[in-house]
Amino acid sequence: MILIFLILVVIVLWIFASCIKIVPQAQAYVIERLGAYQGTWSVGFHLKTPFLDRVARRVNLKEQVADFPPQPVITKDNASVRIDTVVFYQITDPKLFTYGVENPMMAIENLTATTLRNIIGDLELDQTLTSREIINTKMRAALDIATDPWGIKVNRVELKNIIPPAEIQNAMEKQMKAERERREAVTRAEGEKRARILEAEGEKESAILRAEADKQAAILRAEAEKEKMIREAEGEAEAILKVQQANADGIRVRRHP
């Protein structure tokens, strides 16, 4: 009897423990009772009715990323390109996400492919390659409206790669190579031009410096010659004065013997 009682206690405790549910942060649990939707549990402690309630789905409420493989699309000018997209989405209504569509991710992938074909079909290849931001904005708006009944909000859509046909890639590579060669030629020409300008400016500066040096040298030579002539003239004048002084002294001596 005691053994049966212990078994019953263990069973009751196990059932009670199985009814305790703790919903972690950024998650929600969709609860069904006898197969019908009962409610959505948010973060925290919850108790479910044994044998009647079950957790139908655990829903992640964080922003998630879906990276889809490249999709073949045709541009307005009949160029076939392959584009792979990245969709950033978030589940806003766990109930709609659980019951709105059978396979949400497959639905989003197919919807992304059809929306991309519709948008790229109105653009030519050149526009497709240069209008990523416009395409991203149109894709996000279209997907956000279409996924709203599924409880999904599309936050961003990014075109990761746009892969044109091989012949177009070869033509683009040749064009890029020619552009690089042209830029290199322009750079070389600018460098040579700059070098010639610097060389000419250097020669001009050297000529100016030489002329200035010659001028200063001529001025110094003239100043030296002038100083020399002045000193010679002063020397001659001093000699004449001495001679005159000597003559005057001799005359005075003869007059007074």
Side-chain angles (χ1 to χ4, degrees), residues 54-127:
R54 75 179 187 92
V55 179
R57 190 162 201 164
R58 292 173 172 82
V59 180
N60 186 355
L61 301 180
K62 296 178 182 178
E63 186 177 39
Q64 302 177 61
V65 181
D67 189 355
F68 299 128
Q71 299 289 333
V73 293
I74 305 296
T75 62
K76 187 176 180 180
D77 50 353
N78 295 324
S80 177
V81 296
R82 294 174 63 83
I83 302 177
D84 57 342
T85 55
V86 179
V87 178
F88 298 82
Y89 68 95
Q90 191 170 12
I91 299 170
T92 56
D93 192 324
K95 179 183 177 182
L96 292 178
F97 180 74
T98 302
Y99 301 107
V101 64
E102 177 64 25
N103 190 330
M105 295 314 302
M106 182 179 294
I108 293 176
E109 182 176 0
N110 292 330
L111 183 61
T112 301
T114 55
T115 304
L116 188 62
R117 290 190 181 99
N118 292 335
I119 295 174
I120 299 301
D122 294 332
L123 301 175
E124 296 183 353
L125 179 60
D126 291 342
Q127 293 175 306

